[in-house]
Amino acid sequence: MPKYARVLVDDSAGKAFDYELPEAVAATLQPGSRVRVPVRTRTMLATVIELLDETDVPGVKPIAAVVSAEPILSPLLLRLGAWIADYYCCSLEAAMKSVLPNVIRKAEVGHQTRLFARLTREVLPEEIETLGKKAPLQAAAVAYLVAAGKPVGVAELTEKCDATHAVVQALVKKGLVATAASKVERDPFGDETFVHAAPLEMNPEQAAVFERVCAALAMTADRREVGGEKNEPRMNTDETRITSPSPKSIRENPGSSVANPKPILLHGVTGSGKTEIYLQAIQLVLERGQSAIMLVPEISLTPQTVERFKSRFAATHHEVAVLHSHLSEGERHDEWHKIRDGRARIVIGARSAIFAPCSNLGLIVVDEEHENTYKQEETPRYHGRDVAVLRASMEKCPIILGSATPSLESFHNARLGKYELLNMKLRVDDKKMPFIRVVDMRMESKKFGGILSEKLITAINARLEKKEQTILFLNRRGFSTSLLCEQCGHVCECPNCSVALTFHRGAGRVVCHICGHQAVAPSKCPECGKPGIKYSGTGTEKVEDAVGKLFPKSVIKRLDADVMQRK
């Protein structure tokens, strides 16, 4: 039986410390459990990362309290965090902050409870009528409970019946109603109703790709039954030390930890039906009693993905959990526990969802795997797609990387044979690909300010005449992307990042889109002091201004991070 625990103290700059195990929990405490430990004059939260039979540290203090004897982090997620710390050159604590959500680490938010009322026995209409003569509000409350046929929240009951809490208490004293507190979940999609959508029939190209996915799923099931895989990340002989494949081995051969099946790169044109393959593959995984993770690149894409998944699995009552940074702390707490308890076996979210505490993971899907939003910009600067490939190798499950324009890295791995490449070149229902015309804007520079080409203006006019809408895309915020002095050639740069500042005309300021530095837009050159600064480059504000002048009678709306603030 181990006598000591090595713990990672929160906010300790990644340092691990040894503590003595109390006899009461020595037999039950496991790596991944959360504890409170004494640090100088206070106690702090910590994660157990290793159990030890002995330690060479003198004067070891005992653990102060056990927050959760049952591991919050599985051994696999501990190993995954250790690999991230090693590969992305960050502290283990920084890696664990990504693996374990802050709301779970701090343990300050718990499950929400609500008071519910229910009938203690069957109430006849005659009884309600008699009660209504003396206490109409009590009668209305009883009638509402009879109609509901199930426990109703006291707050809802008093609101619907225009009653007070005293009315409910009076019914409790009469023995007609009983109240009890019950746990309720904060579901971000709890107010929505989803209608079941049946699986769609696949075309021959989809069917061929789906057959290969099924083969990978079946192969994984067979290998799990036989047991054992080469290069399997595992615990060492004492089942406590965190070990994982070396960063070099993963970098040189990302699919080596899962020699068979390989990660699948699904290269399908837009509208080819990749999502239907994801849905039917996940259905097979659920039928085997396993779980699945679906990663999407943008939080804004999550609602439409959740709607499609919840509609597909509405008939089978499979719970779909959502994980992303825009959830409230309460919602994130409940969604995380829903996954950990196994009540939700489908997880949808942005890059952080790859750390979902799924048990018996059967499939990982990374949609639009080429998107740079899978790369985290702050420490730890992990890439969600690459971590997903590694987790799939640890879990011994297939992973599908889907894209119409695969990333260079993934396509190169497919060319080398490390990934299995599956192609879908046709759209569903034989729909034609859109006609794309490339216009040389150098020839258009003297017309209309060089922002919109003559052909584009003509096409927009044609849409407006038909009362249709037009969307113009530009991946640059602000009005001008740089400020250049025509006299000395000075470019206004960020003092922190040494990149050109972007001029935002609406705010009258120049902004760095990397660090957030802001300053008042200069009226003359900061270097030579002469006027005549040239505003170069095009941003969404300039496009909005140009389109407003070209189409003054049309309603024009700009949609970017500067004007949109939403949950």
Side-chain angles (χ1 to χ4, degrees), residues 80-121:
L80 187 61
W83 183 89
I84 290 173
D86 189 17
Y87 186 65
Y88 293 103
C89 302
C90 66
S91 67
L92 183 58
E93 183 204 3
M96 289 304 175
K97 282 185 177 181
S98 291
V99 175
L100 190 63
N102 199 43
V103 65
I104 306 299
R105 291 174 67 247
K106 290 186 175 182
E108 294 176 352
V109 177
H111 292 284
Q112 188 179 63
T113 58
R114 193 174 297 167
L115 194 63
F116 283 83
R118 62 175 179 84
L119 294 173
T120 57
R121 60 178 178 82

Side-chain angles (χ1 to χ4, degrees), residues 228-510:
E229 275 197 28
K230 294 182 180 180
N231 300 326
E232 176 192 349
R234 66 187 70 203
M235 306 299 278
N236 73 347
T237 54
D238 63 5
E239 291 299 307
T240 56
R241 189 175 301 279
I242 301 173
T243 58
S244 61
S246 68
K248 182 180 179 182
S249 67
I250 295 296
R251 181 170 60 252
E252 291 178 350
N253 191 355
S256 63
S257 291
V258 182
N260 202 356
K262 300 175 182 178
I264 296 173
L265 178 59
L266 181 53
H267 182 194
V269 299
T270 304
S272 58
K274 296 188 292 295
T275 304
E276 184 62 29
I277 291 176
Y278 303 155
L279 286 164
Q280 296 200 25
I282 290 175
Q283 179 64 49
L284 291 178
V285 169
L286 295 176
E287 290 172 359
R288 284 165 34 179
Q290 295 179 293
S291 54
I293 296 176
M294 172 81 179
L295 297 185
V296 292
E298 301 271 0
I299 293 174
S300 58
L301 293 177
T302 306
Q304 66 187 55
T305 306
V306 170
E307 180 181 359
R308 187 161 182 182
F309 272 68
K310 280 184 176 284
S311 298
R312 175 61 58 89
F313 299 108
T316 54
H317 304 289
H318 284 113
E319 285 278 0
V320 178
V322 181
L323 284 180
H324 57 71
S325 58
H326 283 196
L327 296 178
S328 69
E329 286 199 339
E331 290 171 341
R332 192 171 182 85
H333 172 276
D334 290 356
E335 294 292 285
W336 191 90
H337 279 283
K338 189 191 299 182
I339 299 165
R340 181 171 175 263
D341 297 341
R343 289 179 286 118
R345 291 196 285 135
I346 305 172
V347 181
I348 299 175
R351 59 177 178 264
S352 62
I354 192 57
F355 304 116
C358 298
S359 59
N360 196 15
L361 190 59
L363 178 66
I364 299 175
V365 177
V366 183
D367 194 26
E368 307 296 343
E369 63 87 25
H370 63 277
E371 286 286 348
N372 60 2
T373 49
Y374 283 120
K375 181 75 167 68
Q376 179 153 295
E377 295 300 329
E378 56 273 352
T379 304
R381 292 176 171 82
Y382 68 90
H383 200 298
R385 177 200 61 216
D386 298 341
V387 173
V389 172
L390 178 63
R391 181 166 185 185
S393 73
M394 290 180 168
E395 297 274 6
K396 308 177 188 177
C397 73
I399 178 170
I400 303 174
L401 309 177
S403 176
T405 54
S407 64
L408 182 63
E409 304 94 317
S410 297
F411 195 73
H412 179 66
N413 282 327
R415 294 287 295 272
L416 293 179
K418 296 176 182 178
Y419 293 176
E420 181 179 1
L421 179 62
L422 301 178
N423 290 299
M424 297 174 64
K425 301 179 180 179
L426 303 176
R427 283 186 155 189
V428 293
D429 299 332
D430 296 325
K431 293 180 180 178
K432 294 183 179 180
M433 294 293 292
F435 178 73
I436 299 175
R437 180 184 289 112
V438 179
V439 178
D440 187 351
M441 292 304 295
R442 293 174 298 181
M443 305 298 294
E444 303 280 337
S445 60
K446 296 181 180 180
K447 303 176 183 178
F448 313 108
I451 296 179
L452 275 68
S453 67
E454 185 176 3
K455 291 182 178 179
L456 178 56
I457 295 172
T458 302
I460 293 174
N461 274 318
R463 297 303 101 191
L464 292 174
E465 290 174 359
K466 295 182 179 181
K467 307 296 182 181
E468 294 179 349
Q469 295 174 304
T470 300
I471 300 177
L472 302 177
F473 286 102
L474 181 65
N475 61 341
R476 292 286 187 276
R477 291 188 291 128
F479 190 84
S480 297
T481 55
S482 66
L483 282 72
L484 172 68
C485 176
E486 295 182 309
Q487 300 294 326
C488 67
H490 173 74
V491 177
C492 295
E493 294 184 343
C494 174
N496 304 319
C497 309
S498 297
V499 297
L501 294 170
T502 301
F503 173 58
H504 288 248
R505 191 173 69 171
R509 304 179 72 84
V510 287

Side-chain angles (χ1 to χ4, degrees), residues 163-205:
T164 63
H165 193 73
V167 173
V168 179
Q169 288 300 314
L171 291 171
V172 171
K173 289 182 180 180
K174 291 180 179 179
L176 289 174
V177 172
T179 59
S182 181
K183 184 172 68 174
V184 294
E185 289 186 342
R186 290 155 287 201
D187 187 350
F189 296 90
D191 296 333
E192 300 184 30
T193 303
F194 298 93
V195 180
H196 173 60
L200 303 177
E201 184 178 351
M202 294 186 180
N203 60 32
E205 189 178 53

